[in-house]
Amino acid sequence: MKEKLKGYLIAKYTNMIGSYSCYRLLEEAKKMGIDLKLIGTCDLCFFEGKFFHRGELLERRDFIINRYKFGHLKDELSNLAARSYNEISAFNIYLDKFKQLENIKSSNFKNPKFILATADKKYEFLKRYLGEKFVAKGLTGSEGDEIYLIKNQEGLENINEKYGPEKEWVFEEFIEQSFGRDLRIYSIRGRAAGCMMRKSEKDFRANFALGGKVSNFEITPKINDICRDIYKITGIDFLGIDLLFGKDDLYFCEVNVAAGIMGMEKATGVNIAGKVLETIREDFNE
């Protein structure tokens, strides 16, 4: 291994006040003697193949951890290091919830029925295939954003008016048995590092960011099999996997390529940030 590993942690802002995940990664890097520098894309310029951060030229480093989902700057930054976590082409593919549903399959869970469409469709048409209640998901939202439970024509018209008729949605079968609860797994290279149940008393969405309560959930062989299957498909090193509780089996919900770790560390007591950085350090030991 090199004498001292150097990396960039990519976020939206250089000063990520209140970002638990960024804080924990920086904290664990310091403990391990890894030089990890937080870089906000909002403070970057890319010019003639070079990056400038607040006016200073960025040097090449050993690795990048990307925690920002949008724009071209994050893509170009991946060329500034020997390794990128997660690898940028897979990262960009699996940002998209349609690509997730299209590509991710396993014998260890069921996939909900879904329709890709704009919201200017008739409720009766979508109801015919998905049932009286169905979920509308924006293709790149996170933390419960752009997710709606549709029960009638008015629900469709509301999101069409709010977001515009050109926006594409995944309209997905509603898994009634999972109302207000789901599973989140934190997968590291196809093995579960932690698993938690999320519950909400009021909302059909159970996201921790929306106030859902979290608790530790046993990592079963099936959960590890799910992690293995999804890793084989995506090749993504660090991944949040969300599953729904069906009547007789688990259902795939979505994956998160830049999953937060606050809820997982709180629920499980597992040092997720440390495990991420240990995995990166082992890559360079090799």
Side-chain angles (χ1 to χ4, degrees):
M1 188 182 74
K2 290 178 60 173
E3 189 172 315
K4 188 166 189 176
L5 277 179
K6 293 184 177 182
Y8 290 124
L9 175 60
I10 309 304
K12 184 176 184 180
Y13 303 111
T14 301
N15 184 10
M16 287 293 289
I17 295 172
S19 172
Y20 178 92
S21 297
C22 288
Y23 160 75
R24 287 286 297 121
L25 288 165
L26 292 168
E27 181 183 51
E28 290 300 318
K30 187 175 181 180
K31 288 180 185 177
M32 294 182 191
I34 297 172
D35 180 359
L36 185 60
K37 184 176 181 180
L38 181 59
I39 299 290
T41 59
C42 289
D43 294 319
L44 283 177
C45 292
F46 183 60
F47 176 66
E48 294 185 345
K50 296 178 181 179
F51 271 102
F52 295 87
H53 177 251
R54 294 180 170 177
E56 293 185 7
L57 179 67
L58 286 185
E59 64 177 352
R60 186 173 174 80
R61 290 203 160 197
D62 300 305
F63 67 91
I64 283 172
I65 301 173
N66 184 28
R67 290 204 52 79
Y68 190 57
K69 297 182 177 182
F70 305 107
H72 295 293
L73 287 168
K74 67 170 174 53
D75 299 346
E76 295 300 325
L77 273 165
S78 67
N79 297 316
L80 207 57
R83 291 177 181 260
S84 182
Y85 303 92
N86 289 305
E87 192 276 323
I88 198 64
S89 60
F91 185 98
N92 285 336
I93 290 169
Y94 291 103
L95 276 175
D96 188 309
K97 291 186 171 117
F98 168 65
K99 289 297 182 183
Q100 294 177 19
L101 287 165
E102 188 178 44
N103 295 345
I104 296 176
K105 316 286 182 187
S106 168
S107 60
N108 288 292
F109 55 72
K110 292 182 178 180
N111 287 74
K113 293 179 285 187
F114 70 92
I115 295 171
L116 176 68
T118 51
D120 54 354
K121 301 299 178 284
K122 295 296 184 185
Y123 167 76
E124 291 298 325
F125 169 76
L126 296 172
K127 170 187 169 183
R128 188 186 316 162
Y129 297 98
L130 301 176
E132 290 192 4
K133 298 178 186 177
F134 50 87
V135 177
K137 289 184 178 180
L139 300 190
T140 58
S142 61
E143 296 186 334
D145 184 37
E146 294 189 3
I147 298 180
Y148 299 90
L149 185 59
I150 305 298
K151 305 176 184 179
N152 49 40
Q153 183 64 38
E154 183 182 3
L156 280 175
E157 290 171 359
N158 286 342
I159 62 172
N160 192 46
E161 182 178 346
K162 182 174 181 179
Y163 295 98
E166 72 284 350
K167 183 176 176 64
E168 293 183 349
W169 298 83
V170 168
F171 296 104
E172 189 177 295
E173 173 187 8
F174 178 52
I175 310 303
E176 186 84 44
Q177 293 83 0
S178 204
F179 185 99
R181 66 186 182 122
D182 66 12
L183 284 184
R184 160 62 65 89
I185 310 166
Y186 197 92
S187 173
I188 297 181
R189 296 224 169 114
R191 287 198 62 82
C195 183
M196 65 180 177
M197 181 184 287
R198 305 185 294 190
K199 283 186 177 181
S200 173
E201 299 297 329
K202 299 178 180 179
D203 200 319
F204 78 98
R205 301 165 298 177
N207 301 68
F208 181 67
L210 296 177
K213 305 299 182 185
V214 296
S215 59
N216 187 47
F217 194 88
E218 180 187 0
I219 297 174
T220 62
K222 179 169 183 162
I223 285 172
N224 267 321
D225 288 346
I226 288 169
C227 292
R228 177 204 63 206
D229 292 348
I230 292 178
Y231 180 60
K232 283 181 179 179
I233 293 164
T234 66
I236 293 177
D237 298 303
F238 309 119
L239 190 64
I241 300 170
D242 295 348
L243 301 168
L244 303 173
F245 294 95
K247 195 171 184 180
D248 53 7
D249 204 352
L250 293 170
Y251 275 75
F252 177 76
C253 179
E254 62 187 49
V255 297
N256 191 324
V257 295
I261 62 174
M262 183 176 177
M264 187 64 69
E265 290 196 339
K266 177 181 177 181
T268 66
V270 175
N271 182 353
I272 299 295
K275 286 183 175 292
V276 166
L277 287 159
E278 284 169 7
T279 303
I280 293 171
R281 185 168 61 180
E282 286 168 7
D283 286 344
F284 287 89
N285 276 332
E286 292 173 1

